[in-house]
Amino acid sequence: MTTGSVPPDASAGPSDAHASPRPGRPVRPLTARRRDEAHRVASPLELFFDLCFVVAVAQAGVGLVHAVAEGHAGQGVLHYAMVFFSVWWAWMNFTWFASAYDNDDVPYRVVTLVQIAGVLVLAAGVSRAFDERDFLLVWLGYLIMRLAMATQWLRAAWSTAGAERTVALRYAAGVLACQVGWLGLLVFPEGARAWVFLVMVVVELAVPVFAERDLRTAWHPHHIAERYGLFTIIVLGESIAAATVAVKSAVDEHDALGELLPIAGGGLLIVFAAWWIYFVVPVHGHLRSNRQAFLWGYGHYLVFGSAAAIGAGIEVAVEQAVGKAHVSATAAAAAVTVPVALYLVTVWALHSRHFKVGLAQQAVLPGAAALVLCCTFLGRWGVLAAGLVAALTVATGTTLTARTAAREEAREKAPEGAVG
């Protein structure tokens, strides 16, 4: 995760170098923006960046579907985790860097477009990684993205001085050093690749901690929360799109509408509930320090990964229902319920628990995750049951929150000493 510098003096005017970028100059110094900048929102370039990155997410989902449907769930999940990490980590590094340093000049735009090209190269290699264990294109696409990111950090180092320059140089050095380690995916035997992956994940995650040990970068809390929320929406939308295509193809080829309606209905309820649960609370107020931001940002690997896997699981359930998947009905249901449960628990841990009042509210999402897992054993009805549980979870949480708000309002209106 990339996160800029100590915020400049809040009294600095809009003409200050740390203010929002102005159009008209093709090249500007790449210096930190203000953390208290008003009306900071995602730029068109950032939205374009997200849409291109979701192409790779979709390809990872396709690979997971094929692996699980063919009875190779363990291997499929491993490869999915590896590919998804490369996409998520490159996306996250750009997002936090952009929050701190986006000056929207020509070099910044060009280097960002190079990163987009890198993720498209990676996406082109996903199927080979799953089917042939060939990670060359995935590695090359990741290399392109990370070299572009190192270039951005070197530009920041060139434009800054002192401790801020040291942070930028540490980031650039860490990013470049990690690319040497990722060569292990190409040169080591297949049995060792999982260990190479685990070691390199730890090293990659340590780079921001090392780089920012003396100075925090100038990321904008509201902007970061919005960027993560937008990517969550895109990933959930991709899950709906993938599931819709799967249902349509199955109906066209097998005329099995009766078997597919419960899956389609349950899947839709799950995705709707996933959106509702994620956005029920504004999380930007919680992002006050690097420690909180690191935990929150890193934890979204599971949020994004599980959200994308929900769509893949629905596809598996559809294929099993029409006899195309070589797995049992219970295994197909698990392909949906396991990522749903992981999503609920992770969103609770990262978001909801900070805003819930009382044991009842705190228990809603963990309890729902347990019930969703129990739906696995309902076989072909498991997806529908999980969808109903998800919908009930939203209704329960909304009701409890409304009751708490009503009690607080009553206390505020009651005469002193009349309540409690």
Side-chain angles (χ1 to χ4, degrees):
M1 177 172 72
T2 59
T3 50
S5 78
V6 168
D9 188 347
S11 64
S15 61
D16 189 89
H18 293 70
S20 57
R22 292 180 174 184
R25 294 178 59 189
V27 180
R28 290 183 288 271
L30 198 63
T31 53
R33 296 178 65 161
R34 298 178 60 138
R35 282 180 60 87
D36 60 351
E37 184 179 329
H39 311 298
R40 181 73 189 277
V41 295
S43 69
L45 180 59
E46 289 175 317
L47 298 177
F48 182 50
F49 187 88
D50 290 357
L51 287 172
C52 293
F53 262 61
V54 85
V55 172
V57 173
Q59 289 301 307
V62 170
L64 180 61
V65 169
H66 291 164
V68 174
E70 293 170 5
H72 306 300
Q75 195 171 64
V77 169
L78 174 62
H79 290 160
Y80 176 79
M82 295 170 70
V83 170
F84 197 90
F85 176 84
S86 63
V87 177
W88 164 77
W89 188 244
W91 177 88
M92 196 171 80
N93 273 237
F94 167 79
T95 296
W96 290 78
F97 178 88
S99 187
Y101 285 100
D102 180 4
N103 68 353
D104 200 34
D105 67 356
V106 170
Y108 178 88
R109 289 186 174 192
V110 170
V111 175
T112 301
L113 294 176
V114 170
Q115 289 179 270
I116 292 175
V119 78
L120 297 179
V121 172
L122 186 151
V126 168
S127 60
R128 295 178 64 178
F130 274 87
D131 300 336
E132 304 172 23
R133 319 293 185 261
D134 181 357
F135 284 87
L136 178 60
L137 277 180
V138 171
W139 173 84
L140 179 60
Y142 187 71
L143 176 67
I144 293 171
M145 291 188 289
R146 303 304 280 149
L147 290 179
M149 191 72 256
T151 301
Q152 297 280 41
W153 279 116
L154 290 172
R155 278 199 70 201
W158 179 266
S159 302
T160 56
E164 187 177 359
R165 183 172 186 270
T166 299
V167 171
L169 289 174
R170 284 175 179 171
Y171 265 116
V175 169
L176 293 173
C178 285
Q179 304 324 297
V180 178
W182 285 114
L183 278 170
L185 291 178
L186 304 181
V187 301
F188 283 96
E190 184 176 338
R193 289 175 184 169
W195 295 107
V196 172
F197 170 72
L198 289 175
V199 170
M200 289 311 304
V201 164
V202 173
V203 175
E204 288 272 19
L205 296 180
V207 170
V209 179
F210 164 72
E212 300 195 28
R213 62 181 181 177
D214 300 319
L215 184 69
R216 182 176 69 174
T217 50
W219 46 270
H220 193 289
H222 192 281
H223 176 248
I224 285 293
E226 181 193 31
R227 295 286 289 111
Y228 273 70
L230 290 172
F231 200 69
T232 301
I233 290 174
I234 291 174
V235 171
L236 290 174
E238 169 57 32
S239 290
I240 288 181
T244 301
V245 171
V247 171
K248 179 183 181 300
S249 299
V251 170
D252 291 344
E253 295 175 14
H254 302 277
D255 194 23
L257 186 60
E259 290 82 356
L260 298 178
L261 277 177
I263 298 173
L268 203 58
L269 288 174
I270 288 170
V271 175
F272 286 171
W275 170 84
W276 190 300
I277 290 167
Y278 187 92
F279 290 99
V280 75
V281 292
V283 76
H284 63 270
H286 175 66
L287 305 179
R288 294 184 295 270
S289 68
N290 263 12
R291 181 179 179 276
Q292 293 165 325
F294 282 172
L295 292 174
W296 183 84
Y298 287 178
H300 270 73
Y301 171 69
L302 296 178
V303 173
F304 294 155
S306 59
I310 289 170
I314 294 172
E315 289 189 69
V316 172
V318 168
E319 293 194 5
Q320 195 281 331
V322 297
K324 291 178 61 177
H326 306 295
V327 295
S328 66
T330 300
V336 178
T337 58
V338 171
V340 171
L342 180 60
Y343 179 90
L344 293 174
V345 169
T346 309
V347 171
W348 171 80
L350 297 178
H351 285 198
S352 302
R353 69 184 179 89
H354 302 293
F355 301 91
K356 299 300 182 182
V357 178
L359 180 60
Q361 288 190 26
Q362 290 287 3
V364 170
L365 290 184
L371 288 176
V372 166
L373 288 177
C374 292
C375 293
T376 304
F377 303 101
L378 297 178
R380 62 187 293 262
W381 298 101
V383 177
L384 178 60
L388 294 173
V389 169
L392 182 61
T393 300
V394 171
T396 302
T398 302
T399 301
L400 291 174
T401 301
R403 288 180 178 177
T404 300
R407 285 197 298 268
E408 291 178 352
E409 185 178 355
R411 288 194 183 96
E412 292 176 357
K413 293 181 177 180
E416 185 176 352
V419 179

